């Protein structure tokens, strides 16, 4: 039986998943739009890298806004390595089991460490969907990862108005939507927008 009380294995899988998508992004796609209205592909990669840094500082008990929402200065061919290095730094904090129950500050309030980390699992899987849609890759993550993340998101992210959360209200999934797309819909994304890069 899958243990959902510890989000770290799911976060690890989400980070590996999004890094594989990053590796397949072509240089000519970096300026393409994404389902995040304010992000092109390069900006989305910058934000994905920043979320790992933010997860690290949150786990260390520091304020989430002590690191920026975007990482600059990364070469166009350096995103995968930068993400891998940020992930290694982040795990030095979250390898301590005590951090799961420690109170931490996140952009949406004060929660236990495990709830904060589920938030970063959600952000990673949803932004991975954004990246895949924008660059013409398979947008569906592993179904078990997506279903677990959706179950967690339903616990802390309300369906309606989301004051304090960086997500639009949930939208109705398409009848044939897979689990990752349903997670994206719960996070306010429209179903499979026509944004695929050429």
């Amino acid at each position: 039986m899958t243990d959902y009380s510890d989000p770290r294995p799911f976060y690890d899988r989400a980070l590996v998943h999004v890094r594989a998508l990053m590796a397949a992004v072509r240089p000519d796609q970096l300026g393409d739009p994404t389902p995040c209205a304010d992000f092109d592909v390069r900006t989305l990669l910058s934000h994905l890298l920043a979320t790992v840094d933010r997860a690290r500082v949150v786990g260390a008990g520091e304020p989430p806004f002590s690191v920026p929402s975007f990482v600059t200065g990364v070469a166009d061919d350096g995103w995968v390595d930068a993400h891998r290095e940020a992930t290694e730094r982040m795990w030095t904090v979250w390898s301590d089991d005590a951090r799961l129950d420690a109170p931490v500050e996140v952009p949406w309030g004060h929660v236990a460490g495990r709830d904060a980390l589920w938030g970063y699992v959600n952000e990673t899987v949803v932004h991975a969907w954004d990246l895949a849609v924008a660059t013409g890759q398979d947008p569906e993550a592993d179904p078990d990862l997506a279903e677990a993340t959706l179950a967690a998101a339903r616990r802390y992210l309300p369906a309606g108005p989301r004051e304090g959360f960086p997500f639009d209200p949930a939208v109705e999934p398409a009848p044939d939507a897979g689990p990752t797309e349903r997670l994206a819909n719960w996070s306010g994304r429209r179903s499979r927008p026509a944004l695929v890069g050429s």
Side-chain angles (χ1 to χ4, degrees):
M1 184 174 180
T2 303
D3 179 11
Y4 295 110
S5 65
D6 186 347
R8 292 175 296 185
F10 295 97
Y11 193 29
D12 183 58
R13 289 165 61 190
L15 292 167
V16 170
H17 169 63
V18 79
R19 200 153 53 241
L21 295 172
M22 287 178 171
V25 174
R26 303 191 312 267
D28 63 292
Q29 293 176 313
L30 291 170
D32 288 351
T34 76
C36 283
D38 296 331
F39 293 180
D40 61 14
V41 170
R42 181 182 283 104
T43 306
L44 179 58
L45 293 172
S46 170
H47 181 62
L48 276 162
L49 182 53
T51 64
V52 183
D53 283 341
R54 187 160 285 176
R56 173 179 54 80
V57 300
V58 163
E62 300 171 22
F65 296 111
S66 62
V67 293
S69 298
F70 304 94
V71 174
T72 59
V74 178
D76 286 349
D77 62 353
W79 294 106
V80 172
D81 287 342
H83 190 269
R84 184 181 295 109
E85 291 164 5
T87 298
E88 291 171 356
R89 291 192 299 270
M90 181 272 301
W91 284 129
T92 65
V93 173
W94 286 102
S95 60
D96 181 1
D97 290 348
R99 300 312 303 161
L100 294 176
D101 294 311
V104 298
E105 180 185 354
V106 288
W108 57 93
H110 291 82
V111 298
R114 73 181 69 246
D115 296 323
L117 209 53
W118 271 120
Y120 288 108
V121 177
N122 179 76
E123 186 165 17
T124 302
V125 178
V126 171
H127 280 321
W129 183 87
D130 293 332
L131 182 62
V133 168
T135 57
Q137 301 185 64
D138 182 357
E140 286 294 321
D142 180 87
D144 179 60
L145 170 62
E147 293 284 10
T149 308
L150 178 57
R154 288 182 183 276
R155 289 196 300 271
Y156 73 81
L157 191 59
R162 292 171 166 176
E163 185 175 350
F165 291 93
F167 297 103
D168 291 332
V171 300
E172 188 68 24
D176 61 344
T180 308
E181 185 170 326
R182 287 189 281 110
L183 171 65
N185 296 150
W186 186 259
S187 300
R189 302 294 196 274
R190 301 291 172 184
S191 293
R192 287 167 285 185
L195 291 169
V196 175
S198 59

